[in-house]
Structure formats: structure tokens, C-alpha cells
Amino acid sequence: MENVLRPLIVVGGSVVLTLAVGWLADWVLRRADARQPERPLWGLLRRCRLPLQLVLCTALLRGSYEQAFKEGSAVEDHSVGIGRALTLVLIGSVAWLAVRISAAVVESSYARYASAHRDPARVRRVRTQVTLIQRVVAAIVGVVAVGAMLLTFPAMRAAGASLLASAGILGIVAGVAAQSTLANLFAGLQIAFGDMVRIGDTVVVDGEWGVVDEITLTFLTVRTWDERRITMPVSYFTSKPFENWSRGGAQMTGTVFLQLDHTAPIEAMREKLHEVLRDCAAWDGRDWGLAVTDTTPNTIQVRALATAKDADDIWTVRVTVREQLVAWLTEHHPYALPRVNTAWAVEPPDGNHPHPVTPHVPRTGRG
């Protein structure tokens, strides 16, 4: 009977103590979060409750399982395996808890920085750096945890000396084999701390316009205007040119080009453009203009210019100007739209041609 009650008491006591400590820690963090709502750290640390309970329960079981399964127990022969399994779970849960705590601290620091600074560019830069720091910390903790787990096996400890002896050769081989991966890894760090591109930046890559949606250590995702996702290695942004419309400020200047007839009323169009912009909420009022920028034998090129506070608003301004100017010309000045001249040719006034030049008209039927 004792061999049955002892394991139940040890396991049950560990579980009850774990639940009690977890509830107490959550209660303390909830009270701290209510008292200091401006500090998000306490609320973020509440997400660590589950890994904390797992660490505590595993540690209690790891320290008392030998007393629970004494001689005569049904699982006495498996005590070594049970102890090793508990050790592996303890290492994994400690790594999980460390990742959760580091993520809470980093996210709390970012939230306080974002609330204290109003510059969107600086906030996006810090957000990009914070995201990559979290991934680096998670990767390092994961590697250390896996290494600690492997060292719990005697065979792995015995092989450690031979592995260290061949570390130089293995390093060279791994470096050659993972050359592209390492290049992307260092490119990701360069992007994060070199402030080349940030999460939320508006970029043009390979002719595609979009917003940077995600940055990792190896790849970057751009969300296009039609909700597609373009994924490319981060080394692309360190080796090839690309347009970053958010670099140095989000304000932008947009243009609209129209091909019109030579008789187009430019001054009236200029007044109409100003009227359209005054009624457009996306126009920021910084600048506007309309000018003839080019001419051909049949048409002239008119450029309308306007400004907006960011890439989304400049798109709205451009389509609004284009639609309303074309509609206004169609309704009030249809002669200003491009036409194909079919008039009879007129003799020059200097009389160089003895006869008027007339276009050839094909004859149909008999006559």
C-alpha cells in the first residue's frame, strides 16, 4: 500500500503546489498591471504562467521521484529513464520560459518607446530591430537547450572530444554548404541595424508596389496593393537597388500625365485642378501645379502635380485628379481630347505648290 500512496502523494503534491504558485504569480502580475497600466510588462509576463508551472512541476518531480519510487515499486527498473525524461522536459520548459520572458521584456520596451515617440519612421525601425532580436534570442536559447539535452546522454558526452577535434573541418564544410544561408543571416542583421528597410515601409521591388509585412533573419515579405505576398531573401535588399518610399519621411509628390489636343484650355485646367484638390481630403495642401511638359505633332503632354502625406494618400489623390479632369474635359471641353486629323491639306501661303494637294479618295463602283 505504501508503494502506491507514496507516488500519488509526491505527484499530487507537486501538481497542487504548481497550480498554487501559478495562480499566485498570475494574481500578483494582474494586480501590478492594474496599478501600473502604463507599463505593459506585467501584462505580458502573465503569458509566462504555463511555462513557469511546467518548470516548477518538472523540477519538483525531478527532485522527488527517487523518493517516490523506492525499492519494491513497480517502476523501479525504469527510474533511470524516468529521471532522464524529466531532465529533458525540465530543460525544454526552462528554454520555453526564457523565450517567453525575453519576448515580454523586449515587447514591453518597444511599446514604451512607441508611446513616447511620434516619429513613424523611428518607430518602424525599432520594431524591425525588436522583431529580429526576438528571433535571434529564440534561436540561441533553442540551440543551447538542444545542446544541453544531448549532453544528458553519456554517449554524446563521450563523443564530445572527437567532435571538438574535428570542429575545424566541420566548420569549413558547414560554411561552404550553408554559404547562401549565412549570407541571408548576415543580410538580415544588416537590414535590422543598418536601417535600410523597416516593417511598414512602402517599397517598389521588381516593379511591384507594396508594404513590408515581415522581416526575418533569412527572408522578407512584401504585401502588394492587391493583397498578394511576395517573399524574397533578405540578401536581395543588400545586393540590388530598390525603391523605399518611406525612407527619410512618408510625404510624397505624385504626378498625373494626360495626352491632349493642342487646343486644350491649360489655364482653365489649372483652375479645375486646384478645385479638385481642395475637395480631396487626401491632399495635404503642401504643393500642386499643372504644366505642359511635352508636345508631339498631334498632342501635348500635360502634367498635373500634387502632394500627400504618405503613399496611400498619394494614390488616392492621383486617381481622383485623373478621373475628374478627364470627366470635366469630356463634358465641357471635348475638343481638347486627342483627335486624329482628317482635314483637307491646305496650300502653303508662299505658293510653292502649283495645285492644292488633296488626299487620294478611293473610287467605288463604276463611273
Side-chain angles (χ1 to χ4, degrees), residues 1 37-38 42 51 59 90 102 108 121 126 151 160 175 183 194 203 220 222 236 242 246 274 277 280 297 323 350 359:
M1 190 68 178
E38 72 280 358
W42 310 119
L90 179 60
S102 63
S108 174
V126 173
L151 291 178
V203 297
L220 185 147
V222 176
Y236 176 93
F242 64 95
S246 303
H274 198 192
L277 291 176
C280 181
E323 291 176 0
D350 56 4

Side-chain angles (χ1 to χ4, degrees), residues 14-15 17-27 29 43-59 89-90 92-101:
S14 300
V15 173
L17 183 60
T18 298
L19 294 177
V21 172
W23 177 85
L24 179 62
D26 186 70
W27 180 80
L29 292 174
L44 293 172
L45 285 176
R46 293 184 61 190
R47 297 185 300 181
C48 303
R49 178 178 178 179
L50 183 57
L52 175 63
Q53 290 178 323
L54 184 58
V55 169
L56 182 59
C57 184
T58 308
V89 174
L90 179 60
S93 58
V94 168
W96 186 16
L97 179 62
V99 171
R100 283 289 181 89
I101 292 176

Side-chain angles (χ1 to χ4, degrees), residues 14-92:
S14 300
V15 173
V16 171
L17 183 60
T18 298
L19 294 177
V21 172
W23 177 85
L24 179 62
D26 186 70
W27 180 80
V28 171
L29 292 174
R30 188 168 60 250
R31 292 289 300 273
D33 187 39
R35 290 182 178 180
Q36 298 178 339
E38 72 280 358
R39 300 188 63 181
L41 177 62
W42 310 119
L44 293 172
L45 285 176
R46 293 184 61 190
R47 297 185 300 181
C48 303
R49 178 178 178 179
L50 183 57
L52 175 63
Q53 290 178 323
L54 184 58
V55 169
L56 182 59
C57 184
T58 308
L60 291 175
L61 292 176
R62 181 65 181 82
S64 59
Y65 85 98
E66 293 181 353
Q67 299 296 326
F69 304 115
K70 286 186 175 180
E71 183 178 357
S73 175
V75 293
E76 178 186 1
D77 298 336
H78 305 285
S79 60
V80 177
I82 294 175
R84 183 168 296 162
L86 291 174
T87 301
L88 295 177
V89 174
L90 179 60
I91 294 173

Side-chain angles (χ1 to χ4, degrees), residues 1 8 10 15 18 37 43 74 122 141 145-146 175 182 188 212 235 238 257 268 278 286 306 317 359:
M1 190 68 178
L8 292 178
V10 171
V15 173
T18 298
R122 295 180 63 183
V141 172
V146 172
L182 292 176
V212 178
S235 58
T238 59
F257 289 95
R278 283 197 300 265
R286 288 189 298 118
V317 170

